[in-house]
Amino acid sequence: MTRERFGLLDVGSNTIRLVIFEMDDFQGITELQNIKTPARLVQYLDTENIMSDEGIDVLITVLKSFTKIAESYNIKDLISIATAAIRQSSNKDVILARVKKEVDLDLTILSEQKEAYFGNYAVRYTMDILDGVSIDIGGGSTEVTYFKNKEIKEAHSFPFGTVSLQKQFFDGKKHNDKKAIKKARKWVSEQLRTLDWLEDLSVPLIGIGGSARNYAEVYQRQTDYPIAGIHEYQMLENDLDETFDLLVKSSMEELGDLDGLSEDRRDIIIPAGIVFTELINVMQAKSFAISNRGLREGIILERLNQEYDDAYDLFGIKRQTVQRLFKQYDIRPISAHQRIILADRLIDLIREKSILDIKDEHLYLLHYGATLYYLGSYIEDDSKSQHTFYIISNTNLHGFNHRDRVRLALIASYKNRSLYKQYTSNFKDWYDKKELDILLYLGSIIKFAEALSDSHVNLVHDMDLIETDDDNYELCVTYSGEAIAEEYRANRHKNHIERVLGKSLSITFQKELDESPQTEV
């Protein structure tokens, strides 16, 4: 099957961007190409919102270049959209006519409502946050959308963005002029407070777009953040304020050397921060989360959902993410299925003895970890644990915040306690000792479950855990067929389950009299 490719041209107020998406056989999407140019179209609007010929020429030049590039990717079709700069232009009909005549492109102007909708669509379908407010700040507009239990409740588009704020308050002044910042803060706060539904919401604020990503990336570099990726990364209000203060204190030259800050955002990063910090204050937000998926992804995801019958489930994001990783790394279904069944049975036996207090969220992690166990063997078998931990912890996994990503990585990569300690060395302040112990035990259970299915032909049918006279435990394993490999591996790795039990374990294998046929590999 030939993988479908889609092109998306996004004509924003600050940048014009071309993204080429490729859809795989299970509706996962990958960016093949993502190029942009900071056209700053909004600066070509005069006081009557007429875009100058110079601005239209810039637009035409970029579109000609980008459409030619798109053609070389053999795409199914090219979606082209425009937002605030052209939407606000009083001569938009002239602009669209020139684009059609000179580029042969039907440029669609998104309404404020549609722009807010698509950005928020991507947030709701790729983040495991039930209630929140998304903010997408562009060059000439800012979209805020409130959703509760994944359902949009309120949405609004403000006719200001990073470029227009820079022009309104900082034109002819330094990028960090204190009086301009104070004046801009007051004005932005007044605009935000015109929306009664925003005040004191006390839900996460979710930033979409380049400015939000830059704030997170700068803070990550400043704090030596241990993993890669920005999607579902969360900052506290103090973290955001600290980053804003750093940018204000830095000269333009120092901003150019600041890791995490894009060169073409140096002069507009402070106006963006003013909006973020004022909004988080108005909302009394719990945190500032980052979505690496926005308007463009929202358009593509909605399209896939319409064509492929809920390709992206609003309330099953983690499950679908794990399923796609499972397929992407070619994990054998029978192996994963057996690990899950055996790990579940072990957990049930351990819970019956009140040995571990396992919460539902840990059970989900156990299932996901058993599904993705040692996916790193796809790269190299000898170092599959290391590859597994690195891949999962450093991949933007839809539905998993960064703490959960590392939790999943620790469980799915578990090999021994020494490697576990090595992996957790950079995350000691992320989890308390109780949580680290639980994750260690879950990894141990999965590893032992894998030992019990060493032949991968479903020989082990049941287990029972019995307390012996000497106050230790005996695991009675019922099997069919020839479980020589399973018996050897289970006894070799019983130390992992003994760690969970806190006592010594003996293992007895009992063959079923009425054998069922072996599972075909």
Side-chain angles (χ1 to χ4, degrees):
M1 177 179 176
T2 302
R3 295 187 173 190
E4 291 184 342
R5 294 177 177 180
F6 307 94
L8 200 150
L9 255 173
D10 179 7
V11 180
S13 304
N14 182 38
T15 61
I16 301 175
R17 189 183 296 264
L18 169 67
V19 183
I20 305 295
F21 295 99
E22 183 176 75
M23 184 189 73
D24 59 31
D25 297 341
F26 35 94
Q27 291 84 54
I29 56 172
T30 304
E31 283 188 7
L32 290 186
Q33 182 59 275
N34 188 327
I35 56 175
K36 69 174 183 176
T37 183
R40 301 275 177 97
L41 292 179
V42 72
Q43 70 185 1
Y44 295 104
L45 297 178
D46 63 18
T47 55
E48 295 179 352
N49 277 347
I50 297 174
M51 184 173 289
S52 66
D53 289 338
E54 182 185 359
I56 300 175
D57 289 341
V58 169
L59 171 64
I60 297 294
T61 300
V62 175
L63 291 182
K64 283 182 177 179
S65 172
F66 282 7
T67 52
K68 189 172 183 179
I69 292 170
E71 289 172 2
S72 67
Y73 278 87
N74 192 29
I75 58 176
K76 182 177 181 180
D77 61 353
L78 179 63
I79 304 166
S80 56
I81 59 167
T83 54
I86 295 180
R87 184 172 61 227
Q88 295 168 6
S89 302
S90 55
N91 60 335
K92 61 175 70 70
D93 291 341
V94 173
I95 299 171
L96 295 181
R98 279 196 59 186
V99 169
K100 178 62 177 176
K101 180 181 178 181
E102 299 182 40
V103 192
D104 192 24
L105 191 68
D106 293 311
L107 192 59
T108 300
I109 300 177
L110 291 185
S111 66
E112 293 94 334
Q113 293 77 16
K114 275 294 185 181
E115 185 174 0
Y117 168 79
F118 283 124
N120 185 264
Y121 192 96
V123 167
R124 289 182 293 121
Y125 278 86
T126 67
M127 298 181 76
D128 196 29
I129 296 178
L130 292 176
D131 309 326
V133 170
S134 63
I135 175 170
D136 189 352
I137 180 167
S141 69
T142 297
E143 282 67 46
V144 289
T145 307
Y146 169 47
F147 61 95
K148 185 175 179 62
N149 197 32
K150 295 281 188 173
E151 181 182 348
I152 293 178
K153 295 297 184 181
E154 303 282 354
H156 183 77
S157 179
F158 290 101
F160 61 80
T162 55
V163 178
S164 60
L165 286 173
Q166 194 278 335
K167 186 176 180 180
Q168 181 179 348
F169 293 101
F170 295 88
D171 195 24
K173 302 174 183 176
K174 288 185 176 181
H175 70 287
N176 56 358
D177 184 271
K178 290 183 179 181
K179 290 183 178 179
I181 291 174
K182 184 177 180 181
K183 189 176 180 180
R185 275 192 178 282
K186 182 175 182 296
W187 186 85
V188 167
S189 179
E190 290 171 351
Q191 305 308 306
L192 296 174
R193 292 182 187 279
T194 60
L195 302 180
D196 294 339
W197 52 267
L198 267 180
E199 295 202 46
D200 300 327
L201 272 178
S202 193
V203 296
L205 174 62
I206 303 158
I208 304 171
S211 294
R213 289 194 300 271
N214 274 202
Y215 268 86
E217 287 166 351
V218 168
Y219 185 73
Q220 284 185 347
R221 302 300 195 282
Q222 294 296 308
T223 56
D224 294 326
Y225 198 65
I227 58 175
I230 211 74
H231 191 61
E232 292 211 47
Y233 175 65
Q234 296 196 22
M235 303 169 67
L236 299 177
E237 182 178 6
N238 287 341
D239 302 333
L240 183 61
D241 288 338
E242 184 180 319
T243 308
F244 180 76
D245 290 341
L246 170 65
L247 296 171
V248 170
K249 292 174 183 176
S250 301
S251 66
M252 189 61 75
E253 184 179 353
E254 289 170 333
L255 290 180
D257 294 329
L258 193 60
D259 287 343
L261 179 60
S262 299
E263 176 71 20
D264 56 10
R265 291 188 183 274
R266 285 191 302 165
D267 60 334
I268 57 173
I269 197 65
I270 287 176
I274 289 171
V275 178
F276 295 144
T277 54
E278 287 302 318
L279 181 53
I280 204 170
N281 180 53
V282 168
M283 289 173 51
Q284 293 297 293
K286 294 179 178 179
S287 62
F288 183 54
I290 310 299
S291 173
N292 201 30
R293 311 290 184 256
L295 169 66
R296 294 176 292 275
E297 289 80 11
I299 291 172
I300 298 298
L301 291 180
E302 187 196 53
R303 175 174 178 158
L304 294 180
N305 272 342
Q306 290 171 347
E307 292 185 11
Y308 294 95
D309 191 24
D310 293 328
Y312 288 81
D313 183 353
L314 196 59
F315 292 98
I317 302 171
K318 285 182 177 178
R319 172 180 53 80
Q320 288 188 324
T321 295
V322 170
Q323 288 174 345
R324 289 191 167 100
L325 270 182
F326 171 87
K327 294 173 182 176
Q328 180 183 351
Y329 285 91
D330 200 25
I331 297 172
R332 295 171 64 195
I334 185 63
S335 303
H337 184 63
Q338 289 171 211
R339 277 195 300 271
I340 293 170
I341 290 175
L342 294 173
D344 260 345
R345 181 58 180 151
L346 287 166
I347 278 287
D348 287 342
L349 293 172
I350 289 167
R351 293 174 90 181
E352 285 173 8
K353 303 295 183 185
S354 300
I355 297 169
L356 278 184
D357 178 22
I358 302 293
K359 300 177 182 177
D360 286 345
E361 63 179 298
H362 290 127
L363 285 179
Y364 281 116
L365 280 173
L366 179 79
H367 290 170
Y368 297 150
T371 301
L372 301 177
Y373 187 66
Y374 282 178
L375 66 77
S377 61
Y378 181 87
I379 296 173
E380 186 182 48
D381 196 61
D382 287 345
S383 52
K384 55 193 173 187
S385 172
Q386 290 90 334
H387 286 305
T388 300
F389 181 78
Y390 183 85
I391 290 168
I392 295 177
S393 63
N394 288 280
T395 300
N396 281 323
L397 302 180
H398 291 174
F400 289 84
N401 63 40
H402 287 208
R403 288 175 182 266
D404 279 345
R405 263 168 47 184
V406 174
R407 285 187 180 101
L408 179 59
L410 289 169
I411 293 171
S413 68
Y414 182 78
K415 182 177 182 180
N416 54 50
R417 189 161 54 177
S418 296
L419 266 182
Y420 182 83
K421 286 182 178 180
Q422 179 182 321
Y423 296 153
T424 58
S425 61
N426 289 325
F427 306 97
K428 289 182 178 178
D429 59 339
W430 284 35
Y431 316 102
D432 58 26
K433 184 181 184 304
K434 181 180 179 182
E435 176 72 7
L436 288 174
D437 286 344
I438 289 290
L439 296 175
L440 172 66
Y441 297 152
L442 294 179
S444 299
I445 290 168
I446 294 172
K447 184 170 181 63
F448 189 70
E450 172 69 5
L452 286 170
S453 61
D454 195 49
S455 302
H456 295 165
V457 290
N458 198 22
L459 298 179
V460 173
H461 292 179
D462 199 7
M463 290 175 279
D464 194 16
L465 187 64
I466 302 168
E467 290 188 74
T468 61
D469 293 339
D470 57 357
D471 200 29
N472 289 312
Y473 288 104
E474 178 184 6
L475 184 69
C476 298
V477 180
T478 305
Y479 72 96
S480 64
E482 299 298 330
I484 296 174
E486 281 71 16
E487 186 169 359
Y488 168 73
R489 295 280 292 181
N491 278 289
R492 183 181 176 189
H493 293 294
K494 71 175 184 176
N495 62 305
H496 298 292
I497 207 73
E498 285 177 331
R499 184 175 298 117
V500 180
L501 299 173
K503 296 180 180 179
S504 294
L505 177 72
S506 60
I507 306 175
T508 303
F509 276 73
Q510 299 175 342
K511 192 169 186 176
E512 285 184 341
L513 296 178
D514 182 20
E515 294 188 4
S516 301
Q518 290 185 182
T519 303
E520 291 186 7
V521 180

